[in-house]
Amino acid sequence: METIFYQNLIKIKNLICFDLALTLDCGQAFRWKEDENGCWSGVAFGKFIRILQKDDELCFFGATREDFYGIWLPYFDLERDYERLCEGFCEDISMKEAVTSYPGIRILHQEPWEALCSFIISQNNNIPRIKGIIERLCQSFGEKLPCGEYTFPTAQRLSELSVEELATIRAGFRAKYILDAAKKTACGEVKLDLLSSMPIEQARQELLKIKGVGNKVAECTLLYGCGRMEAFPEDVWVKRVMAELYPQGLPACVGENRGIAQQYLFHWRRNKN
DNA sequence: TGCCAGGATGATG
DNA sequence: CATCATCATGGC
């Protein structure tokens, strides 16, 4: 890939194994919106960005060079060799079908707190409603940026709220879980910053301290929020794949990248019904 | 209308 | 240790 810097635009050419729409709307992040021109906009790490993919080019509008390297390159996992990765996956016949059916999915590197909070909200819930709850959460308790969009509220901010004050976002029974996560994160009882470097099992146990966080939410947080590609969140769809195709575990070609394989399997199986 | 949603919890067998 | 109702809301 080749990166070109213009006045107010950063363009990547010759990018392979990358599908912007698929990556932003495959159930790993919930805040991105597509406009009528196919341009995606959203906020991550407190920064607003607009991104357009067309004709083998990826355009970042309104990003500084510093944020491009510091935020967006890692956010979209653009430094990982997905071509080689997916070639390896394709040694297994079912993984090959999943990868070739929906090529270009990348695992986002979101903020740990946003990932944790988002997947607490996701439990026993559907994606349209998850998006609505998170949008109200940000509008109510995030910070307004000049563009009019809101940042994801900090754990510190949410830890000061009561369940009654949180009722406006209509998270239902999950409200108390959000507050417990916010309090334990804000006071340092759960150290989200350390999860990326801890042994994976220890990191999972750390997250299980939070009420409303089970294995699924913990693994989602580690995968999407801590860059732990070996984390393996199992939901109803992935469990179905595992029961039907891999009763004895994932094929060896998946290696340590279980989380990435899981995302392809999830999306593939979910769109089959 | 009834069913389901990228689950977790506490109570029961 | 496995199962099960329940949780609150909206989309279809």
Side-chain angles (χ1 to χ4, degrees):
Chain A
M1 67 184 244
E2 169 190 3
T3 308
I4 309 167
F5 294 87
Y6 298 94
Q7 189 66 27
N8 204 17
L9 162 69
I10 300 170
K11 189 180 284 186
I12 296 180
K13 289 189 168 185
N14 305 322
L15 181 57
I16 52 176
C17 297
F18 184 88
D19 187 314
L20 181 66
L22 209 45
T23 297
L24 291 179
D25 206 19
C26 67
Q28 52 174 330
F30 304 97
R31 294 201 63 197
W32 293 91
K33 286 185 215 160
E34 185 182 25
D35 70 14
E36 60 278 11
N37 302 316
C39 186
W40 290 82
S41 63
V43 179
F45 293 86
K47 305 279 182 163
F48 174 76
I49 186 97
R50 292 196 309 130
I51 311 171
L52 179 65
Q53 181 172 41
K54 69 167 170 54
D55 304 332
D56 196 35
E57 287 181 352
L58 192 61
C59 299
F60 295 78
F61 300 99
T64 64
R65 200 184 184 105
E66 187 184 355
D67 285 346
F68 177 75
Y69 286 112
I71 296 176
W72 306 116
L73 221 51
Y75 185 85
F76 287 100
D77 209 17
L78 292 174
E79 292 158 307
R80 193 181 307 273
D81 187 351
Y82 275 74
E83 187 180 27
R84 188 172 57 82
L85 194 64
C86 290
E87 274 177 18
F89 286 168
C90 288
E91 288 175 20
D92 174 78
I93 184 66
S94 300
M95 276 303 301
K96 180 173 184 175
E97 183 169 346
V99 167
T100 54
S101 299
Y102 298 98
I105 297 177
R106 299 226 170 193
I107 299 296
L108 296 170
H109 290 240
Q110 305 178 57
E111 292 174 86
W113 165 246
E114 177 173 343
L116 170 60
C117 206
S118 297
F119 283 97
I120 286 174
I121 291 169
S122 79
Q123 68 177 259
N124 187 238
N125 214 341
N126 55 64
I127 291 178
R129 187 172 166 232
I130 294 166
K131 289 178 177 175
I133 293 171
I134 292 176
E135 187 171 20
R136 290 189 289 276
L137 178 71
C138 295
Q139 285 179 356
S140 303
F141 307 109
E143 287 179 29
K144 191 171 189 173
L145 296 172
C147 63
E149 297 292 325
Y150 291 83
T151 63
F152 197 91
T154 63
Q156 180 66 47
R157 173 80 176 95
L158 294 185
S159 70
E160 298 161 356
L161 301 175
S162 62
V163 283
E164 290 77 19
E165 292 171 294
L166 204 52
T168 62
I169 70 171
R170 285 174 285 164
F173 61 91
R174 306 163 191 85
K176 54 184 178 292
Y177 300 154
I178 296 171
L179 292 185
D180 190 63
K183 284 173 186 165
K184 286 176 178 162
T185 300
C187 78
E189 185 177 342
V190 175
K191 298 177 179 61
L192 296 184
D193 294 341
L194 302 181
L195 298 181
S196 59
S197 55
M198 272 185 200
I200 188 78
E201 179 59 24
Q202 186 185 339
R204 221 181 73 245
Q205 294 301 326
E206 187 77 1
L207 286 164
L208 293 180
K209 291 181 187 173
I210 299 164
K211 284 176 197 160
V213 174
N215 279 323
K216 168 73 197 313
V217 171
E219 302 266 359
C220 281
T221 303
L222 291 169
L223 178 60
Y224 305 114
C226 305
R228 302 299 295 259
M229 300 301 156
E230 74 272 42
F232 191 72
E234 269 190 296
D235 77 326
V236 56
W237 299 105
V238 175
K239 276 179 182 164
R240 201 167 295 179
V241 177
M242 295 304 288
E244 290 175 14
L245 300 176
Y246 308 119
Q248 298 165 16
L250 289 169
C253 65
V254 168
E256 295 303 302
N257 294 299
R258 290 183 290 274
I260 304 179
Q262 169 272 155
Q263 190 63 34
Y264 282 98
L265 289 172
F266 164 76
H267 198 264
W268 172 54
R269 172 47 66 105
R270 199 160 79 88
N271 286 92
K272 262 177 73 169
N273 298 24

